[in-house]
Amino acid sequence: MTTEFESPDAAEAAFYDAFAATDLDAMAQVWLEGETAACVHPGGALLVGKAAVMQSWAEILTGATPPRIEYRLLNRILSADIQIHLVEERIQAGDDPESATGLVIATNVYARGPQGWRLSLHHASLPLMPRRAVEGSERRLH
Amino acid sequence: MTTEFESPDAAEAAFYDAFAATDLDAMAQVWLEGETAACVHPGGALLVGKAAVMQSWAEILTGATPPRIEYRLLNRILSADIQIHLVEERIQAGDDPESATGLVIATNVYARGPQGWRLSLHHASLPLMPRRAVEGSERRLH
């Protein structure tokens, strides 16, 4: 059965639900089919195509204890058939209630196709460095 | 004088030219005006709005020796008035010919407005970890 998402927000909620439930089938429903799908996990390389993206999620989710995930939409770029969300994610490993919460900044791109809104790109990164250290150094050019 | 870019590719070339030339005025021409502009530098937090974005570029570019930058388009998501590029950047500090080349993965979002195509989002991250280490660990959930 194929799920149709009526809005980018619905697809986004389903994405984080699937992640938090470590539900690979639900995760596969969220992603766009084909070679336009792309994913960058924090500190990771670019994965292109739904097969490569889902392979990465299989490795992340299979056997994992469901994490606690909160997400917050920080900014939105709109067009008729593409919507881009900038999202702050707070992720805590589910098997250790004392574990630190990891903060992630993600760009999520949703595309509207024949099967409703789907996730086309998830680019996630860790804000590792304090603001000054990143932007105030002439040695660190980018 | 305002520069109008006729395509996302032209805006992208201007972005990397401005970066490589450490030319803050040229950089300002590339970016979309207003609060939709957003930028995540590698390891950095989310900066929202053109003022915050340009402040960060002022800190990066002012007084810096022009770096060597090569970029390569890896994937593209298209719509009528938004275009998303996934780009591999290779950046070498200009003041040290022996310095290592830094590899960056960037999501660049271009929006078409009354002033042609402008950069609306630059989300850059460092592929720090080998592929297996990122995706193969159950402890590392994302």
Side-chain angles (χ1 to χ4, degrees):
Chain A
M1 206 186 85
T2 301
T3 308
E4 279 202 21
F5 302 106
E6 292 183 356
S7 67
D9 288 354
E12 187 151 87
F15 169 67
Y16 288 109
D17 284 351
F19 190 175
T22 65
D23 183 335
L24 197 59
D25 290 338
M27 181 60 85
Q29 296 282 327
V30 170
W31 281 87
L32 195 71
E33 301 295 330
E35 289 307 300
T36 307
C39 188
V40 181
H41 293 292
L46 174 66
L47 307 170
V48 174
K50 185 164 183 181
V53 171
M54 287 312 302
Q55 172 67 23
S56 75
W57 283 107
E59 291 169 6
I60 290 167
L61 300 180
T62 304
T65 304
R68 277 179 288 278
I69 302 177
E70 293 176 8
Y71 70 98
R72 190 161 68 94
L73 185 61
L74 300 179
N75 210 17
R76 212 191 273 267
I77 302 172
L78 303 167
S79 81
D81 49 4
I82 295 275
Q83 200 167 118
I84 300 155
H85 290 187
L86 284 155
V87 176
E88 181 185 87
E89 306 172 352
R90 293 183 179 275
I91 302 178
Q92 192 176 23
D95 50 359
D96 179 5
E98 301 298 311
S99 69
T101 300
L103 184 67
V104 175
I105 299 293
T107 294
N108 293 332
V109 176
Y110 300 91
R112 180 156 55 184
Q115 296 185 317
W117 288 90
R118 293 287 188 107
L119 185 58
S120 178
L121 169 68
H122 175 66
H123 184 166
S125 65
L126 302 172
L128 296 169
M129 288 169 272
R131 193 165 180 278
R132 291 302 101 182
V134 179
E135 298 168 1
S137 161
E138 292 177 9
R139 293 292 309 167
R140 185 165 183 81
L141 280 158
H142 187 44
Chain B
M1 206 185 85
T2 300
T3 309
E4 279 201 20
F5 302 107
E6 291 184 358
S7 66
D9 288 353
E12 187 151 86
F15 169 68
Y16 288 109
D17 283 351
F19 190 175
T22 66
D23 184 335
L24 196 60
D25 290 339
M27 181 62 85
Q29 295 283 326
V30 171
W31 281 87
L32 196 71
E33 301 296 329
E35 289 308 300
T36 307
C39 188
V40 181
H41 293 292
L46 174 66
L47 307 171
V48 174
K50 185 164 183 182
V53 171
M54 287 312 303
Q55 172 67 22
S56 75
W57 283 108
E59 291 169 6
I60 290 167
L61 299 181
T62 304
T65 304
R68 277 179 287 278
I69 302 177
E70 292 175 9
Y71 69 97
R72 190 161 67 96
L73 185 60
L74 300 179
N75 209 18
R76 210 191 273 268
I77 301 172
L78 303 167
S79 81
D81 49 3
I82 295 275
Q83 200 167 118
I84 300 155
H85 290 187
L86 284 154
V87 175
E88 181 185 86
E89 307 172 352
R90 293 182 180 275
I91 302 178
Q92 192 176 24
D95 51 359
D96 180 4
E98 302 298 311
S99 69
T101 300
L103 184 67
V104 174
I105 299 292
T107 295
N108 292 332
V109 177
Y110 301 91
R112 179 156 58 184
Q115 295 184 316
W117 288 90
R118 294 288 188 107
L119 185 58
S120 179
L121 169 68
H122 174 66
H123 184 165
S125 65
L126 302 172
L128 297 169
M129 288 168 274
R131 192 163 182 278
R132 291 301 101 183
V134 179
E135 298 168 4
S137 162
E138 292 179 8
R139 293 292 309 166
R140 185 165 182 81
L141 279 159
H142 186 42

